[in-house]
Structures are given as C-alpha cells and as structure tokens.
Amino acid sequence: DAGVTQSPTHLIKTRGQHVTLRCSPISGHKSVSWYQQVLGQGPQFIFQYYEKEERGRGNFPDRFSARQFPNYSSELNVNALLLGDSALYLCASRLQGVGYTFGSGTRLTVV
Amino acid sequence: DAKTTQPPSMDCAEGRAANLPCNHSTISGNEYVYWYRQIHSQGPQYIIHGLKNNETNEMASLIITEDRKSSTLILPHATLRDTAVYYCIVRVAISNFGNEKLTFGTGTRLTIIP
C-alpha cells in the first residue's frame, strides 16, 4: 500500500517567491495535517483539514495557507518566502481511531 | 495539551531493552500519552499510545505510572534501526476529526550502540 506521498521532495526558492507543496494521503484517509520542522526542533503544527474544511490552525502568519480537494489530497501554499521558512514540511493523514501516518516531507530551502 | 519533559539523549546497547522516560506531571484525566519516533530525514512514525493501562504492540510497550504523571516507552530488544529521536506527546483523544494538533517537543535522541 502506498503511504502518504509528498511532492516535491526537495526544492530551492528565492526570498519573496511563493511555493506550493502537495500531499496525497493514504487511500481512505480523510484527515490531513501539515507540520513545519526546522533543523534541530520537533515538528510544529500548521494546519489540519477534514472533508475539505479547516479544522485547526497553528501559530503561523497569513502567508501560509492550505486547502483540501475532493479526493482528500492537499496543498500547502506559502507566499512571500523568508529565509526562516527553510524547513522540512511534513504532511500526515489519519483514519479515525489510529495514530497519524506521516510522509517523508518536502525539504524547502529559501535563499 | 499538557507539557512533557524528556531527556535530550540516551544510549543503549544493541540487543538490550531501551527504556525511554517521559514526565507529564500536569496531565489531565482525558489526555492520552502518544509516542512517535523520527529516523533521520524521515517523517515521524507512530509507535503506541495509552490512557492509563499499560499497552503493548509489535513495536514497543508503554508503561504509565498509576498517578499518570510519567510513562516509559520500552523497546524490548533494541536494534541499530531503532536509532532515532523519540517524542512523547500528551493530548486529548484524537477523535471526531476536530482540532488534531500534535505538540512535539525536542524529544530524546536514542542511539543504539553495536
């Protein structure tokens, strides 16, 4: 079975640009969450979506946005990139009653 | 969610049991203890969770003290592939697809030594 897939795996962007990261949850998983992990720290919660509705938002600026599609895949968008946005971005999906399954992440470098 | 405290690092000999402690003295009655681990450059992996009874699955055992203020994750026969950062998280049960935020700390870096 395919796990949570994220694309791209790596990318480099310039300050001020925007970026779109994509996530495909495990088949049948309707809840998707996004996390940011900077080097040396634990993941920090950004968003959670269920049935295309935002169910939770972390302490991130409005430059960060997300959405979920009818097939339960999701996109994370970040506008006006800053050097501090360089991080590993993780997507996780869940089936009710069990723990989250995380993808391997997208490594974003802002230069 | 209640705050958790874990040692920053631990070593364990290969083949021995690895015992990872976690303090959560402010845990509430409806909060569960979850454990995840993160192997270098991968996403976190769910290990186990529990409320008050000890739990065991194919990966590990979770021992929660009677007062629920601390817990221990036990990897019974550690292998080199168990080298990872282990996170202890306390939160209310994840259900009904409400706000499912997981609050990760900095975890314990476990190194298995050959």
Side-chain angles (χ1 to χ4, degrees):
Chain A
D1 287 342
V4 177
T5 57
Q6 293 187 242
S7 62
T9 55
H10 298 81
L11 76 163
I12 300 174
K13 290 286 189 177
T14 303
R15 278 177 296 176
Q17 287 187 316
H18 73 272
V19 67
T20 297
L21 310 180
R22 295 178 174 82
C23 171
S24 294
I26 292 173
S27 178
H29 288 198
K30 300 180 180 180
S31 177
V32 170
S33 295
W34 287 94
Y35 287 78
Q36 179 197 65
Q37 186 174 25
V38 300
L39 198 62
Q41 298 183 19
Q44 300 297 308
F45 174 77
I46 310 175
F47 287 110
Q48 184 233 332
Y49 277 78
Y50 175 67
E51 290 285 12
K52 297 173 289 181
E53 291 186 1
E54 181 183 301
R55 294 297 186 99
R57 172 184 283 257
N59 187 25
F60 281 81
D62 292 343
R63 298 184 296 108
F64 289 76
S65 63
R67 55 179 175 168
Q68 187 177 33
F69 299 99
N71 65 354
Y72 304 113
S73 67
S74 178
E75 284 183 353
L76 175 69
N77 295 283
V78 187
N79 294 323
L81 285 167
L82 304 174
L83 295 179
D85 295 331
S86 295
L88 179 68
Y89 288 85
L90 295 161
C91 174
S93 72
R94 187 176 82 81
L95 193 61
Q96 189 168 9
V98 297
Y100 273 103
T101 300
F102 282 80
S104 295
T106 294
R107 173 75 61 187
L108 172 65
T109 302
V110 182
V111 298
Chain B
D1 298 335
K3 180 179 170 58
T4 61
T5 303
Q6 300 177 253
S9 63
M10 293 180 62
D11 293 338
C12 179
E14 187 178 16
R16 296 291 187 116
N19 296 277
L20 292 91
C22 179
N23 287 321
H24 32 79
S25 59
T26 60
I27 192 170
S28 301
N30 63 344
E31 288 183 313
Y32 284 69
V33 180
Y34 289 83
W35 282 85
Y36 283 77
R37 73 180 182 183
Q38 188 172 24
I39 297 170
H40 182 63
S41 296
Q42 297 181 21
Q45 176 189 25
Y46 166 80
I47 302 173
I48 198 167
H49 74 283
L51 181 63
K52 55 183 178 181
N53 297 320
N54 297 338
E55 302 287 344
T56 295
N57 63 20
E58 65 279 4
M59 291 183 65
S61 295
L62 174 61
I63 308 298
I64 302 174
T65 58
E66 192 169 343
D67 63 8
R68 304 210 320 122
K69 293 184 177 183
S70 66
S71 60
T72 301
L73 178 74
I74 301 173
L75 308 177
H77 305 286
T79 71
L80 298 179
R81 287 177 293 182
D82 292 322
T83 293
V85 177
Y86 287 77
Y87 296 99
C88 169
I89 299 166
V90 169
R91 62 149 292 147
V92 296
I94 300 177
S95 64
N96 298 323
F97 297 102
N99 190 333
E100 301 182 347
K101 170 185 173 182
L102 294 175
T103 302
F104 290 83
T106 52
T108 295
R109 182 171 298 277
L110 175 67
T111 302
I112 305 302
I113 301 171

